[in-house]
């Protein structure tokens, strides 16, 4: 995974007032399919295909769903088949499509780069990479709320990795930064004019640290808390609904089902998002369940974020988007789980120090 | 990230294969002999598995129960346990099914060269192990002793009666069987499989134990082997999980940090000890 973060101060910048921004959105819509944050209900937001530039909302805390739904759809047909004496199998045609994702926060971008690793590891999956290959991302700075903790995990609000352009809201418009060659091409075609000097400044949103330990030490903590009481404590409040998996930016587990049409001749094989928090997830044919308790499933979910894939990729698989905390019906916060694990680890270290005298 | 377009593989489309023989083995188990189209061979390692598609019913991971030395084609031994396997049991010779694979890591036969092989199978665990047993018999000079321990619930559930009769007659194969519940004709051992272990005379350093059976069996067999002081490094086992995709993506077979469909299903006991959820 390449991670050359370009500092905004080194990038060419342009000023777009509200009018120019509207024109820019229309320009992007003509160029490719444009996906941007929209309002969904009164308080929620969702990434959607843009049909009306006026409906794009660039100032939003987070969308309900991360971007993964555009690369790993919630339901996807893997095969179509005919059930004659000699079964015929057809794979639905997958065509790469130019797509521009506008108004993406840095943690959601990071999640896509992490999914790239998951779908490439072992064997690179066609279905994912066909959707991924012609995607362009335009980032935007955001104001962290109570659930965001991406900065604690080393993902800065102004992190430009993965983006072609990056926008920072300023008075009466946006600063638009040219991050890579694709971004440069887009701005040239749009006719963005001449870049600015450094005269317009932008502010760094305030952020108070939420985790009690530096993120570099988290994988080490997870070496010591497998048998922690914290899992049981969390599991007592968890209702096992799997919402945390569904809204997670980096969860990509799935299940596969065959469905047959009423004529019993045609059918399809479909994959659907699955959730390791649901009871049957680790069940085998004979009925044995290898993670039969909420405690073991909660632990598995967290270990997948901070240890299991991390041991191979070096990357944390939580991006601090705060979705699992915000949408948990039991009010369980991942920040709280992590801090309790950190506390537990510290207690262990103290006891160890005392024992060693 | 520039090379995204270059890397893509169709991972989920099966090959259409033909069942050319079906044999009822026990009340709930059948053996299917399968050939791939155009004279293709599976080229699996003993212990690997394939994903079997019964279109309209889904896909299931099933271990190959024949040795790669026995071509053409390969065989699968399938127990009726759910919708898909129930449907598969209704299929007859000439039926077509989908096959993907082989997947995962089987037994590392090169490492076992020259060793005494101790095969320990419980119930349908004999199916995956048969691929290794037959391999060792077909390459007999590559191995030293061949010791087979097999435990079944009752005599009617003995999986491969024909093969077992042949193995019994082989002078250079030591076969020990036991059943939990005998019937009136049974003259052999009665008891769980671990009762077969204490009497064995083993050259500990040069014995490789391979274990396949139901989840509950592993801990007890390991205890019995440890009591004999067989080194942990000489023990291998194959684990059962629900490998849905077979290609390390879907997450269903994951044991801690290990995807069984990639790293397993055959593991060294040294690795199993690091995986808390394994057994």
């Amino acid at each position: 995974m390449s991670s050359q973060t370009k500092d905004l101060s080194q990038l060419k910048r342009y000023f777009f007032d509200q009018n120019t921004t509207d024109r820019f959105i229309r320009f992007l819509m003509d160029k490719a399919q444009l996906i941007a944050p929209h309002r969904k209900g009164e308080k929620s937001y969702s990434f959607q295909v843009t049909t009306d530039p006026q409906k794009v909302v660039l100032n939003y805390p987070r969308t309900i769903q991360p971007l993964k739904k555009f690369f790993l759809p919630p339901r996807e047909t893997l095969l179509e088949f005919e059930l004659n004496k000699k079964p015929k199998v057809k794979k639905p045609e997958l065509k790469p499509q130019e797509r521009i994702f506008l108004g993406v926060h840095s943690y959601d971008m990071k999640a896509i780069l992490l999914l790239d690793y998951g779908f490439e590891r072992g064997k690179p999956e066609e279905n994912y990479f066909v959707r991924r290959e012609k995607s362009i991302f335009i980032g935007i700075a955001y104001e962290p709320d109570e659930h965001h903790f991406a900065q604690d995990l080393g993902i800065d609000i102004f992190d430009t990795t993965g983006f072609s352009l990056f926008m920072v809201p300023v008075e009466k418009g946006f600063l638009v930064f040219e991050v890579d060659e694709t971004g440069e091409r887009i701005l040239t075609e749009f006719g963005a004019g001449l870049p600015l000097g450094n005269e317009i400044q932008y502010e760094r949103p305030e952020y108070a640290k939420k985790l009690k330990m530096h993120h570099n030490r988290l994988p080490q903590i997870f070496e010591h808390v497998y048998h922690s009481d914290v899992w049981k404590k969390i599991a007592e409040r968890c209702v096992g609904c799997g919402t945390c998996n569904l809204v997670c930016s980096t969860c990509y587990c799935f299940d596969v089902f065959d469905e047959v049409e009423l004529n019993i001749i045609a059918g399809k094989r479909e994959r659907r998002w699955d959730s390791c928090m649901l009871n049957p997830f680790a069940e085998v044919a004979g009925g044995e369940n290898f993670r039969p308790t909420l405690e073991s499933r909660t632990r598995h979910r967290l270990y997948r974020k901070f240890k299991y894939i991390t041991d191979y990729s070096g990357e944390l698989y939580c991006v601090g988007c705060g979705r699992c905390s915000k949408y948990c019906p039991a009010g369980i916060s991942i920040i709280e789980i992590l801090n309790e694990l950190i506390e537990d680890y510290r207690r262990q270290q103290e006891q160890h120090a005392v024992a060693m005298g | 990230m520039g090379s995204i377009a270059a890397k893509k593989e169709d991972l989920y489309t099966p090959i259409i294969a033909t069942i050319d023989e079906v044999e009822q083995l026990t009340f709930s188990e059948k053996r299917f002999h399968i050939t791939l189209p155009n004279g293709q061979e599976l080229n699996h390692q003993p212990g690997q598995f394939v994903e079997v598609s019964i279109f309209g019913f889904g896909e299931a991971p099933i271990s190959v129960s024949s040795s790669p030395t026995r071509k053409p084609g390969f065989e699968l031994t399938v127990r009726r346990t759910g919708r898909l396997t129930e449907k598969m049991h209704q299929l007859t010779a000439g039926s077509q099914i989908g096959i993907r694979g082989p997947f995962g890591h089987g037994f590392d036969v090169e490492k076992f060269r020259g060793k005494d092989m101790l095969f320990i199978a419980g119930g349908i665990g004999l199916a995956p192990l048969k691929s290794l047993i037959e391999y060792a018999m077909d390459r007999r000079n590559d191995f030293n002793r061949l010791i087979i321990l097999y435990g079944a619930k009752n005599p009617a559930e003995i999986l491969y009666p024909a093969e077992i009769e042949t193995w019994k007659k082989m002078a250079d194969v030591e076969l020990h069987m036991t059943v939990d519940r005998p019937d009136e004709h049974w003259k052999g051992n009665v008891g769980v499989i671990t009762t077969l272990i204490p009497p064995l005379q083993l050259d500990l350093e040069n014995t490789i134990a391979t274990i396949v059976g139901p989840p509950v069996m592993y801990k007890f067999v390991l205890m019995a082997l440890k009591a004999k002081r067989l080194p942990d490094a000489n023990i291998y086992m194959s684990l059962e999980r629900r490998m849905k995709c077979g290609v390390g993506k879907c997450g269903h077979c994951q044991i801690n940090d290990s995807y069984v469909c990639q790293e397993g299903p055959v593991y060294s006991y040294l690795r199993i000890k690091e995986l808390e959820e394994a057994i």
Side-chain angles (χ1 to χ4, degrees):
Chain A
M1 212 176 289
S2 69
S3 55
Q4 307 126 325
T5 305
K6 290 180 186 164
D7 190 338
L8 289 186
S9 66
Q10 296 158 9
L11 300 178
K12 282 188 196 165
R13 65 190 64 184
Y14 300 80
F15 175 72
F16 284 12
D17 60 18
Q18 197 53 55
N19 260 337
T20 314
T21 307
D22 290 349
R23 248 191 332 116
F24 186 57
I25 293 175
R26 248 174 252 121
F27 163 79
L28 295 175
M29 284 169 65
D30 288 341
K31 219 178 133 45
Q33 187 180 64
L34 181 68
I35 291 152
H38 288 62
R39 266 190 190 284
K40 186 156 186 157
E42 264 177 45
K43 290 184 191 157
S44 299
Y45 300 87
S46 159
F47 280 110
Q48 282 171 24
V49 175
T50 309
T51 51
D52 176 358
Q54 296 304 318
K55 294 210 167 135
V56 171
V57 185
L58 290 174
N59 177 19
Y60 69 103
R62 70 172 64 62
T63 53
I64 301 173
Q65 280 294 342
L67 288 178
K68 70 176 173 188
K69 65 178 180 179
F70 295 100
F71 304 95
L72 175 70
R75 296 178 86 142
E76 173 182 14
T77 302
L78 295 177
L79 293 176
E80 288 157 359
F81 48 79
E82 279 175 39
L83 296 173
N84 296 317
K85 194 113 210 168
K86 297 207 179 293
K88 264 193 219 143
V89 177
K90 208 183 91 200
K91 198 167 95 73
E93 201 185 345
L94 288 162
K95 267 200 197 142
Q97 187 190 5
E98 294 241 8
R99 293 190 294 186
I100 299 172
F101 295 84
L102 173 69
V104 176
H105 295 166
S106 54
Y107 53 81
D108 274 339
M109 186 68 241
K110 177 72 181 183
I112 295 299
L113 302 178
L114 294 170
L115 287 178
D116 287 349
Y117 176 83
F119 280 98
E120 188 183 350
R121 186 183 177 197
K123 285 181 172 174
E125 191 199 275
E126 184 181 20
N127 303 52
Y128 176 86
F129 283 107
V130 164
R131 295 190 173 92
R132 176 70 175 89
E133 65 185 78
K134 290 195 172 173
S135 299
I136 296 166
F137 300 89
I138 301 176
I140 196 160
Y142 66 98
E143 297 231 9
D145 70 9
E146 59 187 303
H147 297 300
H148 283 115
F149 67 111
Q151 275 141 299
D152 279 282
L153 299 175
I155 306 164
D156 194 73
I157 293 172
F158 298 117
D159 193 332
T160 59
T161 318
F163 291 122
S164 292
L165 295 170
F166 194 83
M167 300 167 73
V168 177
V170 288
E171 219 184 317
K172 291 180 181 157
F174 295 93
L175 282 179
V176 179
F177 292 84
E178 186 183 294
V179 183
D180 71 359
E181 283 166 18
T182 307
E184 182 182 6
R185 213 180 58 231
I186 292 172
L187 290 180
T188 308
E189 281 177 40
F190 174 60
L194 288 173
L196 302 170
N198 276 347
E199 64 272 21
I200 299 183
Q201 295 303 316
Y202 56 92
E203 277 177 30
R204 174 169 282 275
E206 274 181 40
Y207 182 75
K209 275 199 146 321
K210 289 167 187 159
L211 287 188
K212 294 180 178 173
M213 204 175 256
H214 191 269
H215 60 85
N216 281 349
R217 292 189 66 195
L218 290 175
Q220 186 200 337
I221 290 194
F222 276 74
E223 298 275 357
H224 294 91
V225 293
Y226 194 84
H227 296 288
S228 170
D229 294 334
V230 171
W231 306 118
K232 195 163 181 239
K233 227 173 106 184
I234 301 297
E236 276 167 7
R237 288 161 59 197
C238 175
V239 294
C241 65
T243 300
C244 48
N245 295 126
L246 295 181
V247 298
C248 179
S249 325
T250 64
C251 274
Y252 60 93
C253 289
F254 56 84
D255 208 345
V256 184
F257 299 88
D258 278 12
E259 274 182 5
V260 182
E261 286 172 24
L262 284 175
N263 61 16
I264 335 182
I265 295 169
K268 60 182 178 185
R269 177 160 298 163
E270 207 177 66
R271 79 161 153 197
R272 300 174 200 161
W273 289 356
D274 203 353
S275 161
C276 66
M277 288 304 295
L278 299 179
N279 184 44
F281 189 84
E283 223 172 55
V284 297
E288 177 113 7
N289 190 341
F290 291 94
R291 278 190 293 277
T293 60
L294 274 173
E295 188 180 335
S296 58
R297 296 197 289 276
T298 303
R299 175 172 61 203
H300 185 74
R301 179 171 80 88
L302 270 285
Y303 267 77
R304 256 189 82 108
K305 302 299 160 200
F306 295 96
K307 178 96 177 76
Y308 295 156
I309 317 182
T310 308
D311 280 351
Y312 296 89
S313 68
E315 300 272 3
L316 299 178
Y317 264 66
C318 172
V319 296
C321 68
R323 288 185 177 94
C324 57
S325 311
K326 178 160 174 66
Y327 297 106
C328 176
I332 296 168
S333 153
I334 190 166
I335 297 168
E336 182 193 331
I337 302 178
L338 290 171
N339 281 334
E340 287 197 29
L341 292 171
I342 290 165
E343 289 293 328
D344 194 35
Y345 169 74
R346 284 191 174 138
R347 267 196 304 276
Q348 283 180 40
Q349 296 302 303
E350 278 163 25
Q351 279 164 12
H352 185 68
V354 170
M356 296 298 279
Chain B
M1 309 306 299
S3 58
I4 281 175
K7 50 191 182 192
K8 301 179 277 218
E9 284 180 49
D10 171 15
L11 303 181
Y12 304 119
T13 309
I15 296 177
I16 304 294
T18 307
I19 296 175
D20 41 35
E21 218 183 304
V22 184
E23 183 193 348
Q24 183 91 42
L25 291 171
T26 67
F27 174 71
S28 54
E29 278 126 1
K30 278 189 179 183
R31 164 172 25 203
F32 299 85
H33 192 269
I34 291 157
T35 45
L36 299 178
N38 311 317
Q40 283 179 75
E41 287 299 337
L42 192 63
N43 294 325
H44 63 290
Q45 308 164 338
Q48 279 189 303
F49 70 96
V50 291
E51 293 283 350
V52 176
S53 276
I54 309 291
F55 298 102
F57 293 82
E59 228 179 6
I62 293 172
S63 291
V64 180
S65 53
S66 58
S67 165
T69 50
R70 303 201 176 174
K71 292 170 187 173
F74 60 97
E75 78 176 45
L76 302 174
T77 302
V78 180
R79 173 182 286 177
R80 274 191 291 144
T81 52
R83 273 182 77 233
L84 183 143
T85 48
E86 195 77 49
K87 179 67 189 173
M88 192 169 175
H89 269 234
Q90 292 165 19
L91 299 180
T92 51
S95 302
Q96 296 197 307
I97 58 174
I99 296 286
R100 289 190 300 128
F103 292 122
H105 282 90
F107 294 100
D108 187 351
V109 287
E110 288 308 310
K111 242 184 171 169
F112 300 165
R113 211 177 256 266
K115 303 284 187 186
D116 290 353
M117 297 299 298
L118 172 60
F119 308 99
I120 306 175
I124 198 169
L126 185 58
L129 214 43
K130 187 168 79 79
S131 74
L132 182 63
I133 293 171
E134 285 179 346
Y135 181 91
M137 288 171 172
D138 293 348
R139 302 264 168 92
R140 190 64 190 85
N141 292 333
D142 289 353
F143 302 91
N144 199 29
R145 285 169 72 190
L146 302 183
I147 313 159
I148 303 169
L149 312 186
Y150 177 45
K153 270 189 197 144
N154 56 59
E157 287 189 28
I158 290 172
L159 204 52
Y160 304 108
E163 270 90 348
I164 285 172
E165 277 313 305
T166 316
W167 298 349
K168 270 185 193 160
K169 288 176 195 141
M170 296 168 84
D172 55 358
V173 171
E174 303 157 53
L175 173 71
H176 306 281
M177 291 208 301
T178 182
V179 297
D180 295 352
R181 287 186 301 273
D183 59 15
E184 59 271 32
H185 308 295
W186 182 255
K187 293 191 185 74
N189 298 305
V190 175
V192 292
I193 189 154
T194 44
T195 56
L196 299 177
I197 295 172
L200 295 174
Q201 295 293 324
L202 300 176
D203 170 4
L204 296 175
E205 220 176 296
N206 291 307
T207 300
I208 297 289
T210 55
I211 317 169
V212 194
V216 56
M217 189 186 95
Y218 292 97
K219 275 181 191 165
F220 296 102
V221 168
L222 284 168
M223 273 162 64
L225 291 177
K226 278 172 168 291
K228 290 204 84 79
R229 295 286 180 101
L230 187 73
D232 290 353
N234 293 10
I235 303 175
Y236 293 82
M237 49 191 94
S238 176
L239 299 184
E240 183 192 7
R241 289 295 187 279
R242 189 158 149 246
M243 293 82 100
K244 276 251 154 180
C245 73
V247 290
K249 313 287 181 207
C250 82
H252 280 273
C253 69
Q254 204 177 355
I255 302 174
N256 301 104
D257 68 304
S258 179
Y259 281 86
V260 178
C261 72
Q262 303 290 291
E263 196 187 344
V266 175
Y267 289 88
S268 151
Y269 180 45
L270 294 181
R271 174 70 171 133
I272 298 269
K273 287 202 288 188
E274 301 170 354
L275 302 173
E276 301 233 15
E277 290 175 339
I279 52 173

